[in-house]
Amino acid sequence: TNCRNTRRIAEYCARIVGIDASVHEEAPLGVTPNVTEAGSFKEIIEQTRQIVQNWCLAARGGMQLRQVAILTATNNPDKWPDAFGHIKLVTDFDQWRNNIGVLLSTQRRFKGLEADAIVLAGVPRPDHRDFYSYADHYVATSRAKHLLEIIFDNSL
């Protein structure tokens, strides 16, 4: 029985691997995961910036930085900006836990962890590439407790 995710995230995850979602009866319905596409790395960063700012800026969502993680399929933190305006991006888990910035990590490095809100940024379609299977996609999406945004990279 799924006790981590909202019903809508659990249902999305279950469809990835072709199973029925068994969700705890008190789990909230939640927001349907949003799936978009991007044709370039520049578009991925821009879409991710908009999502993170909508979630974290005080005048918008007001989430704590430690509640949000950006997960990628490959390790390329040097290609990402250091911040989205005043919202710092960090790769260190301790800095993230201490609310210094939003975490930028690979989905494999994040396995076993969870966050209230996750952006899967620039991932390939599952099984489109050898390094990203349906199981990888399931694990990555199931890390989100309340909000999930997926940006598929159409350039891969």
Side-chain angles (χ1 to χ4, degrees):
T1 301
N2 183 319
C3 296
R4 172 185 293 138
N5 315 109
T6 63
R7 292 180 185 278
R8 290 196 170 138
I9 291 174
E11 289 164 359
Y12 179 88
C13 295
R15 281 192 305 272
I16 293 168
V17 290
I19 61 173
D20 289 328
S22 175
V23 184
H24 191 277
E25 64 187 37
E26 294 180 18
L29 181 60
V31 178
T32 300
N34 188 45
V35 178
T36 59
E37 299 178 359
S40 70
F41 191 68
K42 183 178 178 181
E43 287 179 35
I44 292 164
I45 289 181
E46 179 55 25
Q47 286 184 34
T48 304
R49 180 193 64 76
Q50 289 176 7
I51 294 163
V52 169
Q53 287 181 333
N54 283 338
W55 286 346
C56 297
L57 291 176
R60 297 181 192 174
M63 295 183 78
Q64 297 290 310
L65 304 179
R66 67 176 170 251
Q67 292 179 280
V68 179
I70 301 165
L71 304 182
T72 62
T74 58
N75 191 15
N76 57 0
D78 54 317
K79 294 183 179 181
W80 285 80
D82 293 331
F84 293 139
H86 297 293
I87 301 169
K88 186 175 180 179
L89 302 184
V90 298
T91 58
D92 180 87
F93 286 97
D94 288 332
Q95 289 181 334
W96 177 57
R97 288 184 190 106
N98 289 319
N99 208 42
I100 293 170
V102 167
L103 183 69
L104 174 64
S105 181
T106 64
Q107 52 92 20
R108 287 194 173 147
R109 190 169 174 235
F110 202 74
K111 185 176 181 179
L113 300 175
E114 61 187 28
D116 289 314
I118 287 183
V119 181
L120 278 183
V123 295
R125 297 271 176 193
D127 281 345
H128 184 69
R129 293 281 186 213
D130 292 338
F131 64 87
Y132 197 73
S133 67
Y134 283 103
D136 290 327
H137 192 56
Y138 173 83
V139 169
T141 57
S142 67
R143 305 299 91 199
K145 292 173 20 180
H146 301 287
L147 296 170
L148 175 61
E149 295 269 347
I150 302 157
I151 305 167
F152 285 117
D153 185 346
N154 285 341
S155 70
L156 295 176

